[in-house]
Amino acid sequence: MGIIKSLKCRECGKEYEPLFRYICEECFGPLDVKYLYPDSIRRDTFDSRTDKTYWRYFELLPIEDKDNIVSINAGFTPLQKSINLGKDLKLKTLYIKNDSVNPTFSFKDRPAGVAISRAKETNLKAVGCASTGNLASATAAHAAVAKLPCYIFAPSNLEYVKIAQALSYGAEFVAVDGTYDDANRVASVIGDSKGIGIVNINMRPYYVEGSKTLAYEVAEQLNWEVPDYLIIPVGSGAMLNAICKGFEELNEIGLIKDISHLKIIAAQPHGCSPIVDAFKSNRDEIFPVEKPDTIAKSLAIGDPGDGLYVLKRLRQYHGFAESANNKEIIDGILKLCRTEGIFTEPAGGVSVAVLQKLLDAGKIDRDSNVVCYVTGNGLKSTEAITEILPKPSIIKPDVQLVSAMIR
Ligand SMILES: Cc1ncc(COP(=O)(O)O)c(C=O)c1O
Ligand SMILES: [Zn+2]
C-alpha cells in the first residue's frame, strides 16, 4: 500500500507525522501527503492490473493496510473519445472523462472513498462532510459500507434528489439555512469539537488524494501520453489542484515523460466565479462571493478554500480561467447529450461551455489534444433543464391519433 512519509505544509514545508491533522501549526498552511514511492512501479505495474477501480493505484494512495480500503467500486471511468462534439467544435482531438458514471454518480466517490478508508484506518468513530450536494452521497455511501455514522452539512436549497440520495444511504442530513460557506463553518467547528472526521475539512490531506486518480486514469487511458489541455470545473479548487498533483507525481516516478506542454483551464459558473474574476483581473487575492447565484449548485462555493492555489496552478501551467452563464451551461448540457450521449449535471455543462468559449476566442489551439472533465450526472439535477425542454404531449393510446402526430 501507499507508504506515507509525512504530511508536508504546502507553504513552509514543515513535515508532520501522518495523523489526524490538516493545518500547519507554524503558518496555518494546508498539508499534503508525501510518499516513499516503491522503486518497482512501472507502467506495466498498472497496465496489467485487473482491478477496474481507482484502487488500482493503491501504492500511490494514503492507506497503509489494504484491509482498511472502503470501496464501492468507483473510478476507472470511461475516457470517451469524442465522436461528434469535437467535430462540431472543429477540434482535432477531444476526450470526455466521464466521471458521472461513478456509483453515486459524481467524481466525489474518489476523495470520499480515500478519506473514509483513512478514517477506518485511524479508528475514527464517525464521519461527515460539508457539501454542495455530490459529496453528501459519496460520503454517505462509503460511510454506510464502513458502518460509520455520517453527518452531512449542506445548504438547504440543494436539488432535492441530492438530499434524498444521501438520506437513503442512512446519513444524518443537517440542512443549513444559508450558503455552502455557512455549512462549511458549522461542519468545521462540530467536526473538531466532536472528533468527527469531516472528509473535506479535517481529513482534507487524505481526501484530496482521491481526486488525483483523475490524472492517473487519464494518463493510463491515453497510453501514458499527456494531453495538451485539461478543462476542469472548479468549486473549492481541490480537484483541480489534485489533478495537477497527480500528473506531477506520475512525472516524478517516471511513468510520463514530459508535462511542460500541459495547460490547465479552470471553469466556473457565472454567479459564482471568484477564481475566474481574480484570474482575469490579475489579482493574487480572491474576493469571496457572498451569495452565489447559479444553476450549477455543485460549484456554488463563494469562498473557495483552494482558490489561491488554483491561481498558482493556472500560472504555472499557462492556463486560463473562464466562466459560463446559466444559458451557456444549459446549452453545454444539451450539446453533450446530443453529440456524445452523456447526460451531465450543470457542472459538466460549465466544462463544455467554457471549452466552446475558449475555442471561439482562439485561446485553445484547434490542433490540440483536449480532455474535458465531466464530473457529475444529469439525473441529479433535472430541475436545471426541465423548464427549457419541450413538454411531451399527452395522447390517448390510439394508433391513428399517434400516427397523425408523427410526420
Ligand atoms: C460535480 C462536481 N464537479 C466539480 C466540483 C468542484 O470540485 P472542487 O470543489 O474540488 O473544486 C464539484 C464540487 O462539489 C462537483 O460536485
Ligand atoms: Zn507551514
Side-chain angles (χ1 to χ4, degrees):
M1 296 308 294
I3 306 171
I4 306 175
K5 180 167 164 270
S6 64
L7 293 181
K8 187 170 178 185
C9 174
R10 210 181 286 171
E11 289 297 327
C12 74
K14 186 173 160 110
E15 296 194 45
Y16 296 88
E17 271 199 60
L19 301 172
F20 186 45
R21 151 196 314 279
Y22 62 108
I23 282 177
C24 176
E25 284 170 3
E26 301 286 325
C27 73
F28 303 108
L31 304 180
D32 290 319
V33 179
K34 293 283 156 195
Y35 298 86
L36 289 171
Y37 299 121
D39 289 337
S40 56
I41 296 184
R42 308 265 181 277
R43 289 177 178 179
D44 60 13
T45 312
F46 299 121
D47 291 338
S48 59
R49 283 199 176 144
T50 52
D51 179 359
K52 297 280 186 244
T53 79
Y54 65 78
W55 289 105
R56 68 198 272 106
Y57 308 106
F58 61 78
E59 292 95 333
L60 307 174
L61 292 170
I63 304 301
E64 284 154 321
D65 180 346
K66 251 184 168 173
D67 287 345
N68 292 322
I69 289 179
V70 180
S71 172
I72 58 170
N73 296 307
F76 220 69
T77 53
L79 182 69
Q80 183 164 321
K81 186 159 189 189
S82 166
I83 302 155
N84 300 310
L85 181 60
K87 238 185 242 160
D88 285 5
L89 296 173
K90 300 188 179 58
L91 176 59
K92 191 169 157 217
T93 316
L94 173 65
Y95 291 92
I96 312 292
K97 180 60 174 168
N98 183 6
D99 233 32
S100 71
V101 297
N102 272 310
T104 74
F105 306 108
S106 86
F107 86 97
K108 293 285 186 181
D109 283 335
R110 299 171 188 271
V114 170
I116 290 181
S117 300
R118 188 65 183 161
K120 185 173 169 196
E121 188 152 80
T122 52
N123 290 318
L124 293 185
K125 296 293 171 249
V127 292
C129 66
S131 177
T132 54
N134 288 315
L135 184 58
S137 291
T139 305
H142 285 88
V145 173
K147 294 189 165 33
L148 288 171
C150 179
Y151 302 90
I152 307 294
F153 302 86
S156 56
N157 73 344
L158 286 188
E159 297 97 332
Y160 181 70
V161 66
K162 290 182 179 169
I163 299 176
Q165 191 187 4
L167 286 170
S168 300
Y169 293 119
E172 189 81 40
F173 200 105
V174 182
V176 176
D177 182 15
T179 62
Y180 169 80
D181 292 317
D182 295 321
N184 193 283
R185 258 189 305 278
V186 174
S188 173
V189 176
I190 300 284
D192 286 350
S193 63
K194 297 205 184 277
I196 299 173
I198 304 290
V199 297
N200 56 333
I201 302 178
N202 57 22
M203 301 202 70
R204 202 164 179 87
Y206 305 104
Y207 165 87
V208 297
E209 293 296 285
S211 298
K212 75 185 184 183
T213 58
L214 278 164
Y216 296 169
E217 289 179 17
V218 163
E220 188 181 349
Q221 288 166 320
L222 290 176
N223 257 326
W224 308 103
E225 290 295 325
V226 178
D228 300 313
Y229 291 90
L230 306 179
I231 319 286
I232 304 174
V234 168
S236 74
M239 175 179 49
L240 185 146
N241 267 295
I243 290 173
C244 294
K245 185 176 191 255
F247 277 103
E248 285 164 4
E249 287 177 347
L250 293 182
N251 195 37
E252 195 184 329
I253 54 182
L255 268 63
I256 54 178
K257 286 213 185 73
D258 180 18
I259 54 173
S260 60
H261 60 283
L262 180 64
K263 293 170 207 65
I264 305 287
I265 313 286
Q268 290 200 295
H270 192 83
C272 190
S273 54
I275 299 173
V276 176
D277 298 344
F279 180 83
K280 286 191 172 176
S281 43
N282 224 346
R283 255 188 279 121
D284 277 327
E285 195 185 351
I286 308 275
F287 296 159
V289 174
E290 247 176 65
K291 288 201 175 5
D293 182 13
T294 168
I295 57 165
K297 293 185 180 178
S298 60
L299 302 182
I301 298 182
D303 192 4
D306 280 307
L308 290 178
Y309 296 107
V310 171
L311 289 178
K312 238 183 179 167
R313 295 298 198 178
L314 297 182
R315 288 179 189 134
Q316 180 187 355
Y317 287 100
H318 320 290
F320 303 104
E322 188 52 89
S323 62
N325 64 31
N326 286 350
K327 182 180 176 310
E328 292 165 334
I329 295 170
I330 290 172
D331 287 349
I333 293 173
L334 297 182
K335 195 159 211 146
L336 190 63
C337 267
R338 294 169 188 189
T339 54
E340 303 298 334
I342 296 173
F343 184 31
T344 180
E345 67 150 274
V350 173
S351 295
V352 173
V354 162
L355 170 62
Q356 172 141 25
K357 283 178 99 164
L358 291 178
L359 281 166
D360 290 346
K363 290 190 172 164
I364 292 181
D365 175 7
R366 288 199 144 89
D367 271 338
S368 57
N369 183 336
V370 176
V371 172
C372 185
Y373 282 94
V374 167
T375 48
N377 197 297
L379 291 175
K380 290 194 171 211
S381 193
T382 51
E383 64 220 53
I385 48 166
T386 34
E387 267 182 29
I388 63 112
L389 294 175
K391 304 268 172 298
S393 41
I394 296 171
I395 192 157
K396 292 214 159 58
D398 178 306
V399 172
Q400 266 183 343
L401 284 176
V402 176
S403 173
M405 278 177 64
I406 295 174
R407 269 157 267 144

